Amino acid sequence: MIPLTDEKRSKDQLKSHIREQNQTLILETSERVFARQGLAKTTTQMIANEAGLPKANIHYYYRSKKDLLEAVLERILRLWLGSVSGFNVEEGPKVNLTRYISEKIDQSRANKNASKVFAMALIGEEDFVLAFLKNLFVTQLSREKQSIQTWVDQGLMKPVPTEHLFLTIWAMTQTYADFDAQVKIMLQKEALEDSDYDDAKQFIIRMVLAGCGITE
Amino acid sequence: MIPLTDEKRSKDQLKSHIREQNQTLILETSERVFARQGLAKTTTQMIANEAGLPKANIHYYYRSKKDLLEAVLERILRLWLGSVSGFNVEEGPKVNLTRYISEKIDQSRANKNASKVFAMALIGEEDFVLAFLKNLFVTQLSREKQSIQTWVDQGLMKPVPTEHLFLTIWAMTQTYADFDAQVKIMLQKEALEDSDYDDAKQFIIRMVLAGCGITE
DNA sequence: GTCTATAGGGAGATAGAC
DNA sequence: GTCTATCTCCCTATAGAC
């Protein structure tokens, strides 16, 4: 370890502080603009304007637009992973599935822009997102699958095609964030309210529990 | 009415034939390229190359890229509307919902590109698509809602939030077309087979019927 | 680290010969 | 109707002064 002078240390901290602050600003702004404009329509100029920075500054921190998009996606995925509770076998299927669906809806609502950017990248089959999902599915799904098998063995639910169960839960919960324009038209509202999300939650939970043969 | 000479008539028919043929070629090619590349990333040059036409020819038939996209969307929506069966009250909820879900999956599978282009336009909140949905929902949903009310009154199913029922059915069925990359990763397959779609159909139908309290 | 100025590359769209 | 050549615009990315 090379000892640092106080001067150098504080300079480094300042620099690193500015860097971190700017990067966060750029990533948050990018997420918003990407979600609003679409990935390809978004220009680095738009992001710069909205962030109040010169365009070259964006390229100083993120060499290319692709790098920037991947940084945005990485940040989204890291935050998501940290806030998802896994299944807790002891609590049984009803509690776990109810909580899972409820959290999913809350999360995609709270981070609507992040959810949209992810959906856009997924429908555009961005390599970065596909690679992430490959990883996630291998590590996580096998665990959830075991919990479900345990519950089936205990007679707490009927056997289900686990992959399709998760695919459909994701599809239903994400649609309220990603395609909210469609939801608003359907419900004939200018903006979605708490009660709309509650209704969605309740109905999705009802279908999933019933479909899994979970009565009590 | 101005009588036409035979010469003029046949010339017009020829022209109109060529026009129709080229327009169809352009629309079919565009749908494919839009679905593969994304709406904004797609260039008129790509479409021209893949259709085997000079780029100026594309712009001769469709003044702008936006016009072209709208023509593609209009064609998709016209074909869709023609192939969806409405509810038939006499047959009861089980038959109708089962058929509806089954047809939805078949259709988005058979027209995967069309489905993707539509989803891309919807997530990008293209005015053209939003206007179409506004229309569709007003005219169609009220009819389906009445059928469901009838069935509830007859004790054939439990009351459901109709809007959320349709939103979730669409979300689940569309996901197998629009986000097929995710589905493939989840099922760990290079390509989806008949059996995968059958499994999806069966599970979605099971959840919906159970959620609606339809036992027989 | 910041920012102006600009290079360099395509994009959409069209004029005009055929 | 068809297609070559070209206009104009604007995007990404960077060089280089501060």
Side-chain angles (χ1 to χ4, degrees):
Chain A
M1 288 278 262
I2 300 161
L4 300 172
T5 65
D6 279 3
E7 196 194 342
K8 174 139 178 41
R9 197 197 314 275
S10 80
K11 215 170 162 187
D12 277 3
Q13 280 175 355
L14 182 62
K15 269 192 194 174
S16 143
H17 181 64
I18 289 176
R19 166 171 281 270
E20 202 181 326
Q21 212 170 10
N22 275 338
Q23 284 184 328
T24 305
L25 172 64
I26 292 170
L27 291 180
E28 282 174 355
T29 309
S30 301
E31 182 183 293
R32 207 165 47 240
V33 181
F34 275 135
R36 199 172 58 228
Q37 298 281 345
L39 308 186
K41 267 194 200 158
T42 296
T43 68
T44 50
Q45 184 68 65
M46 289 176 197
I47 295 170
N49 289 346
E50 196 153 325
L53 293 172
K55 186 177 54 162
N57 220 325
I58 309 290
H59 280 95
Y60 170 72
Y61 287 108
Y62 302 95
R63 186 163 302 273
S64 69
K65 190 182 162 183
K66 189 162 185 290
D67 284 353
L68 175 55
L69 173 60
E70 295 192 353
V72 170
L73 288 169
E74 194 183 355
R75 184 165 164 277
I76 291 172
L77 298 173
R78 199 155 22 81
L79 291 176
W80 274 7
L81 277 191
S83 70
V84 170
S85 3
F87 284 171
N88 179 346
V89 190
E90 288 78 29
E91 294 175 322
K94 186 171 184 179
V95 171
N96 276 290
L97 285 170
T98 301
R99 181 176 53 220
Y100 185 77
I101 292 166
S102 182
E103 280 183 4
K104 272 253 153 216
I105 292 252
D106 289 343
Q107 196 179 52
S108 51
R109 181 186 180 190
N111 309 292
K112 195 173 279 193
N113 287 332
S115 188
K116 268 194 190 177
V117 172
F118 179 78
M120 286 168 171
L122 181 56
I123 208 170
E125 309 195 4
E126 295 277 335
D127 290 339
F128 185 88
V129 169
L130 299 187
F132 171 85
L133 288 181
K134 268 179 196 135
N135 242 315
L136 180 67
F137 289 172
V138 173
T139 60
Q140 293 234 318
L141 188 74
S142 67
R143 283 187 45 230
E144 319 296 26
K145 219 169 167 173
Q146 283 198 325
S147 302
I148 286 177
Q149 189 53 51
T150 305
W151 294 329
V152 170
D153 292 341
Q154 293 174 343
L156 297 173
M157 62 182 286
K158 290 188 187 151
V160 289
T162 318
E163 289 80 5
H164 293 285
L165 173 64
F166 280 95
L167 285 171
T168 50
I169 290 177
W170 290 336
M172 289 189 281
T173 52
Q174 291 281 129
T175 213
Y176 286 88
D178 304 340
F179 299 105
D180 64 332
Q182 185 181 30
V183 177
K184 279 186 240 170
I185 293 173
M186 184 64 144
L187 299 179
Q188 303 197 353
K189 294 200 172 179
E190 289 296 323
L192 299 182
E193 302 169 56
D194 283 351
S195 63
D196 299 317
Y197 289 98
D198 286 342
D199 290 347
K201 255 188 218 182
Q202 211 183 335
F203 184 62
I204 294 170
I205 290 169
R206 170 178 158 184
M207 278 202 296
V208 170
L209 294 186
C212 293
I214 300 168
T215 52
E216 182 47 34
Chain B
M1 289 279 259
I2 300 161
L4 301 172
T5 65
D6 279 2
E7 197 194 340
K8 175 137 177 42
R9 197 195 315 274
S10 80
K11 216 168 160 189
D12 277 4
Q13 281 175 355
L14 181 63
K15 271 192 193 172
S16 143
H17 180 65
I18 290 176
R19 164 170 283 269
E20 204 179 324
Q21 212 168 10
N22 275 338
Q23 284 185 327
T24 304
L25 171 65
I26 292 170
L27 291 180
E28 282 175 354
T29 308
S30 302
E31 183 182 292
R32 205 164 50 240
V33 181
F34 275 135
R36 198 172 59 227
Q37 297 282 344
L39 307 186
K41 265 194 204 159
T42 296
T43 68
T44 51
Q45 185 67 64
M46 289 175 197
I47 295 170
N49 289 346
E50 194 153 328
L53 294 172
K55 184 175 58 157
N57 219 326
I58 309 290
H59 280 95
Y60 171 73
Y61 287 107
Y62 302 96
R63 186 163 303 274
S64 71
K65 189 183 163 183
K66 191 165 184 288
D67 285 354
L68 175 56
L69 173 61
E70 294 191 354
V72 170
L73 288 169
E74 195 181 354
R75 183 164 164 278
I76 291 172
L77 298 172
R78 200 156 19 82
L79 291 177
W80 275 7
L81 277 191
S83 70
V84 169
S85 2
F87 284 172
N88 180 348
V89 189
E90 288 79 28
E91 294 174 321
K94 186 171 183 177
V95 172
N96 276 289
L97 284 170
T98 300
R99 180 175 54 219
Y100 185 78
I101 292 166
S102 182
E103 279 183 3
K104 272 252 148 215
I105 292 252
D106 289 342
Q107 198 180 50
S108 50
R109 181 186 180 189
N111 308 292
K112 196 172 278 194
N113 286 334
S115 188
K116 268 194 189 177
V117 172
F118 180 78
M120 286 167 171
L122 181 56
I123 208 171
E125 309 197 2
E126 295 277 335
D127 290 340
F128 185 87
V129 168
L130 299 187
F132 171 85
L133 288 180
K134 268 179 195 135
N135 241 317
L136 179 68
F137 288 172
V138 173
T139 60
Q140 293 234 319
L141 188 74
S142 66
R143 282 187 46 230
E144 318 297 26
K145 219 169 165 172
Q146 282 199 326
S147 301
I148 287 177
Q149 189 53 53
T150 305
W151 294 328
V152 171
D153 291 343
Q154 294 174 342
L156 296 174
M157 63 183 284
K158 291 189 185 149
V160 289
T162 318
E163 288 81 5
H164 293 285
L165 172 64
F166 279 96
L167 285 170
T168 49
I169 290 177
W170 290 336
M172 288 188 284
T173 52
Q174 292 281 130
T175 213
Y176 286 88
D178 303 341
F179 299 104
D180 63 333
Q182 185 181 29
V183 177
K184 277 186 244 172
I185 293 173
M186 184 67 145
L187 299 179
Q188 304 195 354
K189 294 202 173 179
E190 289 296 322
L192 300 183
E193 300 169 58
D194 282 352
S195 62
D196 299 317
Y197 289 98
D198 286 342
D199 290 346
K201 254 189 218 181
Q202 210 182 336
F203 185 63
I204 294 169
I205 291 168
R206 170 178 159 184
M207 278 204 295
V208 170
L209 293 185
C212 293
I214 300 167
T215 51
E216 186 45 38

